[in-house]
Amino acid sequence: MSLPAAPASLLGPDGQPLFGRYAGQVGQIDWSKLAAPFARSRFWRRFHHKRWHYVALCTEQVFCAVAIVDLGWTSTAFAYAFDRGDGDMLANFSQDGLPGLSARLADHAGGSSSFKTRRSSIAIDSRADGSYGLALRCDYLEIDAEFGPGAAPLLLATGPVEQGSVHATQKSSGLPLRGEVRTFREDYPLAGGVASFDYSNGLLARNTAWRWASAHNLELGFNLQAGYFGGNENALWLDGQVHALAPAHFIYDSSDPLSTWHIFTEDDLLELYFTPEGARRDDKNLVVAASRYLQPIGTFTGWVRSAPELPKRMVTQMMGVTEDHASRW
């Protein structure tokens, strides 16, 4: 069955979070009004409130990903462009920001987020007609993109987090794409491609880890996660609807992450094999924080369906990403 409509707010009148999976966009996310047992002090929230805004852009020639991350006590951003023809990483930008100055994160998926330093800038914004814009300027990479509106609703997922408090995320279906990517080597038109985005906002534990998979075209897409958020955000977009999926399992050789990944859900609604073509890695070990980040880029082949009694819908060479990420933040 398709998901119920998203509520106007994630908190009820009693301050209790409205846990579940919904279709559509929620309004402002304000965790300061949480009631017990999920309420936390302002000081605790300051260091555990994490937000990120991630956009993926995909055409036959190029795959790009851009993210702005607010860690509460500092911020960071990254962007890359991957040439699908020769497997070359054309640009790989990563920049930490000044606390409270460099990043501005939206308080819901329909807002605007930005990141700015002396030599780089990223802006993600939404428009009144349901479309979105992305403008990026950094060393060796420039992007001007517009995407949406989509034919299927956003996923809204919200739930509890172990050793944290609560978390919410909004994921898009595949969105029609237009614009241009400019690299040191050549320019890539985006017209005819597909975009998707992830807006996440939660009060997370000091140590947080997950595996993730995402891929979209304009007819079909999926979002899968195993880790800190359980199966709360697992979803399938099909025939203009968004459907909940059961917990997902990710099987791959962590010593050889560019080998084949096997991913399936417990409800027999999805089974996929992912073949990486390249990857972005970024491992950090700072005094107060550390992260291990791997995002392979490649193609998914397998099948999906929205109910066990329905025939399998084949997935063939669908471009997307997986991720293996662990943070102490």
Side-chain angles (χ1 to χ4, degrees):
M1 296 180 62
S2 57
L3 299 179
S9 171
L10 287 181
L11 300 184
D14 57 358
Q16 293 300 314
L18 303 178
F19 291 153
R21 276 175 281 191
Y22 306 92
Q25 184 172 295
V26 74
Q28 180 187 19
I29 299 174
D30 182 1
W31 299 126
S32 68
K33 296 179 173 58
L34 277 167
F38 302 102
R40 299 291 188 274
S41 70
R42 183 175 180 179
F43 179 81
W44 190 96
R45 293 197 311 271
R46 179 71 176 83
F47 290 95
H48 290 263
H49 191 192
K50 316 298 179 185
R51 294 178 292 173
W52 59 87
H53 212 154
Y54 170 96
V55 176
L57 311 173
C58 182
T59 74
E60 292 291 333
Q61 295 79 35
V62 67
F63 185 93
C64 300
V66 179
I68 304 170
V69 184
D70 181 357
L71 300 176
W73 51 275
T74 190
S75 63
T76 189
F78 74 78
Y80 67 80
F82 178 78
D83 187 304
R84 297 183 60 184
D86 59 14
D88 188 16
M89 191 67 77
L90 301 171
N92 190 0
F93 164 78
S94 179
Q95 179 71 60
D96 294 330
L98 296 173
L101 295 176
S102 298
R104 296 286 185 272
L105 267 290
D107 59 16
H108 66 298
S112 298
S113 299
S114 63
F115 181 88
K116 188 173 181 60
T117 64
R118 187 174 60 87
R119 297 181 57 184
S120 60
S121 65
I122 305 172
I124 304 169
D125 64 86
S126 62
R127 282 86 182 266
D129 64 356
S131 66
Y132 305 86
L134 168 65
L136 178 145
R137 301 290 184 272
C138 66
D139 291 342
Y140 310 112
L141 180 62
E142 295 184 353
I143 299 175
D144 287 296
E146 296 181 352
F147 44 97
L154 302 180
L155 167 72
L156 168 64
T158 180
V161 179
E162 287 188 8
Q163 299 181 347
S165 178
V166 297
H167 184 67
T169 187
Q170 295 247 239
K171 317 284 188 183
S172 80
S173 63
L175 307 172
L177 175 62
R178 50 212 173 269
E180 186 178 58
V181 174
R182 297 178 292 277
T183 73
F184 75 95
R185 192 166 72 186
E186 62 181 290
D187 300 342
Y188 297 83
L190 295 174
V194 178
S196 60
F197 71 80
D198 168 354
Y199 171 82
S200 294
N201 186 327
L203 302 174
L204 303 185
R206 167 80 164 138
N207 294 291
T208 302
W210 66 83
R211 291 177 179 174
W212 179 59
S214 174
H216 297 273
N217 58 35
L218 296 183
E219 293 76 39
L220 182 155
F222 53 84
N223 183 86
L224 303 167
Q225 193 261 167
Y228 77 103
F229 204 30
N232 286 309
E233 65 179 57
N234 293 343
L236 169 70
W237 285 265
L238 196 61
D239 300 327
Q241 301 292 325
V242 56
H243 306 270
L245 295 175
H249 296 267
F250 292 70
I251 301 173
Y252 84 103
D253 183 357
S254 59
S255 66
D256 182 16
L258 295 185
S259 60
T260 300
W261 295 47
H262 181 202
I263 305 168
F264 61 92
T265 56
E266 294 179 359
D267 49 15
D268 197 32
L269 298 185
L270 177 148
E271 184 172 23
L272 298 165
Y273 291 88
F274 175 72
T275 303
E277 299 174 1
R280 178 182 183 268
R281 294 176 172 89
D282 189 11
D283 295 339
K284 297 179 180 179
N285 191 359
L286 308 176
V287 175
V288 296
S291 68
R292 174 182 52 79
Y293 177 92
L294 171 74
Q295 186 173 93
I297 308 130
T299 58
F300 293 88
T301 295
W303 56 267
V304 300
R305 55 187 171 185
S306 57
E309 68 275 9
L310 294 178
K312 296 174 180 178
R313 303 277 286 269
M314 304 312 296
V315 176
T316 304
Q317 298 291 300
M318 180 183 286
M319 193 73 181
V321 296
T322 56
E323 189 171 281
D324 191 347
H325 191 166
S327 288
R328 185 178 74 250
W329 53 12

